[in-house]
Amino acid sequence: MQRNTTSRARLLAAAEQVFYERGITKTNIDTVARAAKATKPTVYAHFASKSALAAGALEARQRRIAADLAARLADVEPGTPRLTALFGWLGTLYEHANGRGCAFLNAAAESPADEAVTAAVRAEKLWLLGVLRELCAEAGYGRPDELASQLLLLIDGVAARVLVHGPSEAGAATTAAARAADALLTSAAHGHGAP
């Protein structure tokens, strides 16, 4: 059983990297198998299709990102400082993104008709929206659902900027988004209508 678990983990790690770097539609199963130092039959022993492998890779990426964000926020004072720290974490994440921006938005754009991939993308966005909602509520902001949605739009904007302009733009894009987030949070804190 250990060998099967190790093979699966190796396949997911390779798929995550190769699909991210080359794109899902441009990458075939043979390429993933080579990157994982596995055979094509081994891939299909673990995943029924390329779609299932791509969705699995996205789910693995989301778990890794969730753990990374939780670790980053663990030592940050509750409330608004955690929302601010999230944008700092985002900048670091995209600076190391090899110029492709958000793997989830990329996957959604590349595979809009693929239900498994779309479900994995939707799950990641709902997870992040939930994190933002929780942080907004923890900080005591009114209308945490609406504010979280607006903050997620800023985050997705950073992802788009990094995709279009490259990872060297991550710092500036994140800084601009953090300033916009600060304006939203300040408005929400002062009760100026809808945040």
Side-chain angles (χ1 to χ4, degrees):
M1 187 65 164
Q2 176 66 22
R3 183 177 169 99
N4 282 342
T5 303
T6 302
S7 295
R8 183 179 175 82
R10 198 172 64 244
L11 288 167
L12 286 171
E16 183 183 337
Q17 180 180 352
V18 174
F19 286 147
Y20 181 74
E21 290 173 357
R22 298 180 186 193
I24 295 170
T25 57
K26 293 179 183 176
T27 303
N28 60 36
I29 291 294
D30 291 323
T31 303
V32 175
R34 276 193 304 277
K37 296 182 177 27
T39 64
K40 194 172 178 177
T42 299
V43 176
Y44 284 115
H46 291 280
F47 301 96
S49 64
K50 178 180 164 182
S51 176
L53 177 59
L58 288 167
E59 291 161 0
R61 185 181 196 93
Q62 191 273 323
R63 286 189 299 273
R64 186 175 46 77
I65 287 171
D68 187 51
L69 178 59
R72 176 75 177 259
L73 297 180
D75 295 330
V76 178
E77 178 184 337
T80 303
R82 285 192 179 167
L83 285 162
T84 303
L86 187 142
F87 280 88
W89 166 81
L90 183 68
T92 301
L93 181 71
Y94 286 135
E95 284 172 6
H96 299 95
N98 297 325
R100 295 259 307 139
C102 176
F104 300 94
L105 293 179
N106 295 345
E110 290 178 38
S111 307
D114 187 318
E115 291 179 21
V117 169
T118 301
V121 170
R122 193 172 293 121
E124 188 274 341
K125 291 301 169 190
L126 288 172
W127 161 78
L128 187 51
L129 182 63
V131 168
L132 291 165
R133 183 184 307 116
E134 183 179 310
L135 293 175
C136 288
E138 172 185 88
Y141 290 107
R143 299 196 226 177
D145 291 341
E146 186 176 354
L147 185 55
S149 180
Q150 292 170 337
L151 293 171
L152 183 57
L153 287 171
L154 292 173
I155 290 168
D156 288 343
V158 171
R161 176 79 55 90
V162 171
L163 176 61
V164 172
H165 298 287
S168 63
E169 199 58 32
T174 304
T175 299
R179 280 197 295 268
D182 186 53
L184 283 170
L185 297 173
T186 299
S187 177
H190 292 102
H192 293 112

